[in-house]
mmCIF file of all heavy atoms in Angstrom:
data_model
loop_
_atom_site.group_PDB
_atom_site.id
_atom_site.type_symbol
_atom_site.label_atom_id
_atom_site.label_comp_id
_atom_site.label_asym_id
_atom_site.label_seq_id
_atom_site.Cartn_x
_atom_site.Cartn_y
_atom_site.Cartn_z
ATOM 1 N N ARG A 1 22.104 276.393 178.991
ATOM 2 C CA ARG A 1 21.642 276.601 180.339
ATOM 3 C C ARG A 1 21.308 275.269 180.978
ATOM 4 O O ARG A 1 20.748 274.428 180.302
ATOM 5 C CB ARG A 1 20.393 277.474 180.345
ATOM 6 C CG ARG A 1 19.939 277.720 181.755
ATOM 7 C CD ARG A 1 18.835 278.660 181.869
ATOM 8 N NE ARG A 1 18.665 278.855 183.302
ATOM 9 C CZ ARG A 1 17.677 279.441 183.851
ATOM 10 N NH1 ARG A 1 16.752 279.946 183.115
ATOM 11 N NH2 ARG A 1 17.603 279.559 185.148
ATOM 12 N N PRO A 2 21.570 275.007 182.183
ATOM 13 C CA PRO A 2 22.048 275.890 183.228
ATOM 14 C C PRO A 2 23.557 275.845 183.428
ATOM 15 O O PRO A 2 24.089 276.555 184.254
ATOM 16 C CB PRO A 2 21.349 275.356 184.468
ATOM 17 C CG PRO A 2 21.327 273.876 184.244
ATOM 18 C CD PRO A 2 21.116 273.721 182.742
ATOM 19 N N HIS A 3 24.249 275.029 182.675
ATOM 20 C CA HIS A 3 25.646 274.763 182.982
ATOM 21 C C HIS A 3 26.581 275.931 182.706
ATOM 22 O O HIS A 3 26.999 276.612 183.628
ATOM 23 C CB HIS A 3 26.111 273.496 182.272
ATOM 24 C CG HIS A 3 25.247 272.326 182.613
ATOM 25 N ND1 HIS A 3 25.213 271.775 183.859
ATOM 26 C CD2 HIS A 3 24.342 271.641 181.884
ATOM 27 C CE1 HIS A 3 24.345 270.791 183.891
ATOM 28 N NE2 HIS A 3 23.796 270.688 182.703
ATOM 29 N N ILE A 4 26.924 276.177 181.463
ATOM 30 C CA ILE A 4 27.937 277.211 181.222
ATOM 31 C C ILE A 4 27.347 278.521 180.732
ATOM 32 O O ILE A 4 27.926 279.565 180.935
ATOM 33 C CB ILE A 4 29.030 276.723 180.259
ATOM 34 C CG1 ILE A 4 28.449 276.368 178.907
ATOM 35 C CG2 ILE A 4 29.786 275.563 180.847
ATOM 36 C CD1 ILE A 4 29.496 276.021 177.882
ATOM 37 N N GLY A 5 26.218 278.494 180.091
ATOM 38 C CA GLY A 5 25.531 279.710 179.683
ATOM 39 C C GLY A 5 26.086 280.386 178.442
ATOM 40 O O GLY A 5 27.228 280.195 178.058
ATOM 41 N N ALA A 6 25.234 281.185 177.816
ATOM 42 C CA ALA A 6 25.605 281.966 176.634
ATOM 43 C C ALA A 6 26.126 283.323 177.090
ATOM 44 O O ALA A 6 25.861 283.760 178.212
ATOM 45 C CB ALA A 6 24.391 282.137 175.727
ATOM 46 N N ARG A 7 26.858 283.999 176.187
ATOM 47 C CA ARG A 7 27.431 285.313 176.513
ATOM 48 C C ARG A 7 27.104 286.303 175.406
ATOM 49 O O ARG A 7 27.126 285.958 174.234
ATOM 50 C CB ARG A 7 28.943 285.218 176.660
ATOM 51 C CG ARG A 7 29.375 284.344 177.795
ATOM 52 C CD ARG A 7 30.845 284.028 177.825
ATOM 53 N NE ARG A 7 31.710 284.926 177.109
ATOM 54 C CZ ARG A 7 32.842 285.429 177.580
ATOM 55 N NH1 ARG A 7 33.247 285.106 178.782
ATOM 56 N NH2 ARG A 7 33.585 286.223 176.856
ATOM 57 N N LEU A 8 26.840 287.539 175.823
ATOM 58 C CA LEU A 8 26.534 288.608 174.891
ATOM 59 C C LEU A 8 27.523 289.743 175.118
ATOM 60 O O LEU A 8 27.704 290.183 176.254
ATOM 61 C CB LEU A 8 25.105 289.119 175.134
ATOM 62 C CG LEU A 8 24.642 290.282 174.273
ATOM 63 C CD1 LEU A 8 24.496 289.844 172.815
ATOM 64 C CD2 LEU A 8 23.318 290.817 174.787
ATOM 65 N N MET A 9 28.158 290.199 174.030
ATOM 66 C CA MET A 9 29.103 291.299 174.163
ATOM 67 C C MET A 9 28.343 292.624 174.096
ATOM 68 O O MET A 9 27.538 292.852 173.198
ATOM 69 C CB MET A 9 30.169 291.281 173.072
ATOM 70 C CG MET A 9 31.200 292.387 173.270
ATOM 71 S SD MET A 9 32.451 292.444 171.990
ATOM 72 C CE MET A 9 33.514 291.136 172.516
ATOM 73 N N LEU A 10 28.615 293.485 175.078
ATOM 74 C CA LEU A 10 28.012 294.814 175.124
ATOM 75 C C LEU A 10 28.862 295.788 174.322
ATOM 76 O O LEU A 10 30.027 295.513 174.033
ATOM 77 C CB LEU A 10 27.920 295.276 176.581
ATOM 78 C CG LEU A 10 27.027 294.431 177.476
ATOM 79 C CD1 LEU A 10 27.122 294.905 178.915
ATOM 80 C CD2 LEU A 10 25.585 294.497 176.991
ATOM 81 N N PRO A 11 28.318 296.964 173.980
ATOM 82 C CA PRO A 11 29.100 297.963 173.251
ATOM 83 C C PRO A 11 30.397 298.352 173.975
ATOM 84 O O PRO A 11 31.385 298.697 173.339
ATOM 85 C CB PRO A 11 28.149 299.159 173.153
ATOM 86 C CG PRO A 11 26.787 298.567 173.265
ATOM 87 C CD PRO A 11 26.938 297.370 174.159
ATOM 88 N N SER A 12 30.411 298.241 175.294
ATOM 89 C CA SER A 12 31.600 298.582 176.084
ATOM 90 C C SER A 12 32.701 297.529 175.977
ATOM 91 O O SER A 12 33.810 297.743 176.452
ATOM 92 C CB SER A 12 31.218 298.747 177.556
ATOM 93 O OG SER A 12 30.779 297.494 178.071
ATOM 94 N N GLY A 13 32.377 296.372 175.387
ATOM 95 C CA GLY A 13 33.346 295.278 175.302
ATOM 96 C C GLY A 13 33.192 294.268 176.423
ATOM 97 O O GLY A 13 33.818 293.222 176.410
ATOM 98 N N GLU A 14 32.374 294.581 177.413
ATOM 99 C CA GLU A 14 32.077 293.661 178.511
ATOM 100 C C GLU A 14 31.167 292.549 178.013
ATOM 101 O O GLU A 14 30.433 292.735 177.041
ATOM 102 C CB GLU A 14 31.287 294.383 179.609
ATOM 103 C CG GLU A 14 32.070 295.013 180.693
ATOM 104 C CD GLU A 14 31.104 295.542 181.744
ATOM 105 O OE1 GLU A 14 30.552 296.631 181.532
ATOM 106 O OE2 GLU A 14 30.905 294.838 182.758
ATOM 107 N N PHE A 15 31.192 291.422 178.710
ATOM 108 C CA PHE A 15 30.277 290.333 178.394
ATOM 109 C C PHE A 15 29.235 290.200 179.485
ATOM 110 O O PHE A 15 29.532 290.367 180.662
ATOM 111 C CB PHE A 15 31.028 289.001 178.270
ATOM 112 C CG PHE A 15 31.701 288.818 176.949
ATOM 113 C CD1 PHE A 15 33.052 289.052 176.815
ATOM 114 C CD2 PHE A 15 30.980 288.396 175.840
ATOM 115 C CE1 PHE A 15 33.685 288.883 175.599
ATOM 116 C CE2 PHE A 15 31.594 288.216 174.621
ATOM 117 C CZ PHE A 15 32.956 288.457 174.497
ATOM 118 N N LEU A 16 28.016 289.891 179.072
ATOM 119 C CA LEU A 16 26.942 289.538 179.988
ATOM 120 C C LEU A 16 26.638 288.070 179.795
ATOM 121 O O LEU A 16 26.546 287.604 178.656
ATOM 122 C CB LEU A 16 25.655 290.297 179.650
ATOM 123 C CG LEU A 16 25.448 291.694 180.161
ATOM 124 C CD1 LEU A 16 24.075 292.192 179.714
ATOM 125 C CD2 LEU A 16 25.590 291.770 181.646
ATOM 126 N N GLY A 17 26.476 287.351 180.884
ATOM 127 C CA GLY A 17 25.979 285.989 180.789
ATOM 128 C C GLY A 17 24.475 286.064 180.587
ATOM 129 O O GLY A 17 23.787 286.753 181.337
ATOM 130 N N VAL A 18 23.961 285.415 179.575
ATOM 131 C CA VAL A 18 22.520 285.453 179.293
ATOM 132 C C VAL A 18 21.923 284.127 179.721
ATOM 133 O O VAL A 18 22.296 283.075 179.217
ATOM 134 C CB VAL A 18 22.252 285.727 177.799
ATOM 135 C CG1 VAL A 18 20.758 285.772 177.528
ATOM 136 C CG2 VAL A 18 22.914 287.019 177.364
ATOM 137 N N ARG A 19 21.000 284.182 180.662
ATOM 138 C CA ARG A 19 20.378 282.976 181.204
ATOM 139 C C ARG A 19 19.032 282.671 180.563
ATOM 140 O O ARG A 19 18.666 281.521 180.389
ATOM 141 C CB ARG A 19 20.188 283.108 182.714
ATOM 142 C CG ARG A 19 21.471 283.427 183.461
ATOM 143 C CD ARG A 19 22.503 282.383 183.265
ATOM 144 N NE ARG A 19 22.201 281.255 184.130
ATOM 145 C CZ ARG A 19 22.817 280.102 184.085
ATOM 146 N NH1 ARG A 19 23.772 279.899 183.221
ATOM 147 N NH2 ARG A 19 22.498 279.138 184.891
ATOM 148 N N GLU A 20 18.266 283.732 180.223
ATOM 149 C CA GLU A 20 16.960 283.547 179.588
ATOM 150 C C GLU A 20 16.707 284.683 178.617
ATOM 151 O O GLU A 20 17.083 285.825 178.881
ATOM 152 C CB GLU A 20 15.832 283.550 180.624
ATOM 153 C CG GLU A 20 15.828 282.377 181.555
ATOM 154 C CD GLU A 20 14.742 282.475 182.630
ATOM 155 O OE1 GLU A 20 13.859 283.360 182.543
ATOM 156 O OE2 GLU A 20 14.781 281.662 183.553
ATOM 157 N N GLY A 21 16.056 284.360 177.529
ATOM 158 C CA GLY A 21 15.688 285.372 176.557
ATOM 159 C C GLY A 21 14.555 284.867 175.683
ATOM 160 O O GLY A 21 14.381 283.663 175.514
ATOM 161 N N LEU A 22 13.792 285.798 175.162
ATOM 162 C CA LEU A 22 12.659 285.468 174.305
ATOM 163 C C LEU A 22 12.769 286.251 173.007
ATOM 164 O O LEU A 22 13.167 287.414 173.016
ATOM 165 C CB LEU A 22 11.345 285.840 175.003
ATOM 166 C CG LEU A 22 11.086 285.166 176.346
ATOM 167 C CD1 LEU A 22 9.916 285.826 177.044
ATOM 168 C CD2 LEU A 22 10.811 283.689 176.130
ATOM 169 N N VAL A 23 12.384 285.624 171.919
ATOM 170 C CA VAL A 23 12.411 286.314 170.634
ATOM 171 C C VAL A 23 11.383 287.438 170.668
ATOM 172 O O VAL A 23 10.246 287.245 171.080
ATOM 173 C CB VAL A 23 12.112 285.335 169.478
ATOM 174 C CG1 VAL A 23 12.005 286.076 168.159
ATOM 175 C CG2 VAL A 23 13.186 284.266 169.404
ATOM 176 N N ALA A 24 11.827 288.627 170.286
ATOM 177 C CA ALA A 24 10.954 289.800 170.200
ATOM 178 C C ALA A 24 10.935 290.242 168.746
ATOM 179 O O ALA A 24 11.679 289.719 167.924
ATOM 180 C CB ALA A 24 11.486 290.904 171.110
ATOM 181 N N ASP A 25 10.140 291.250 168.423
ATOM 182 C CA ASP A 25 10.039 291.631 167.025
ATOM 183 C C ASP A 25 10.299 293.107 166.729
ATOM 184 O O ASP A 25 9.746 293.633 165.783
ATOM 185 C CB ASP A 25 8.663 291.228 166.499
ATOM 186 C CG ASP A 25 8.579 291.333 164.986
ATOM 187 O OD1 ASP A 25 9.611 291.148 164.325
ATOM 188 O OD2 ASP A 25 7.484 291.613 164.481
ATOM 189 N N PRO A 26 11.105 293.818 167.498
ATOM 190 C CA PRO A 26 11.377 295.194 167.084
ATOM 191 C C PRO A 26 12.281 295.178 165.855
ATOM 192 O O PRO A 26 13.167 294.346 165.746
ATOM 193 C CB PRO A 26 12.074 295.818 168.264
ATOM 194 C CG PRO A 26 12.222 294.779 169.281
ATOM 195 C CD PRO A 26 11.677 293.501 168.764
#
């Protein structure tokens, strides 16, 4: 971030660009 960003694949096969995230504990 902020340039190219990370990507997350959804179950549908689509990608989401992820700009911010925090470690959670579920």
Side-chain angles (χ1 to χ4, degrees):
R1 182 174 186 191
H3 304 292
I4 61 174
R7 296 170 21 134
L8 178 68
M9 183 182 281
L10 297 174
S12 65
E14 269 186 279
F15 280 100
L16 276 182
V18 180
R19 305 300 281 171
E20 292 176 10
L22 301 168
V23 174
D25 192 30

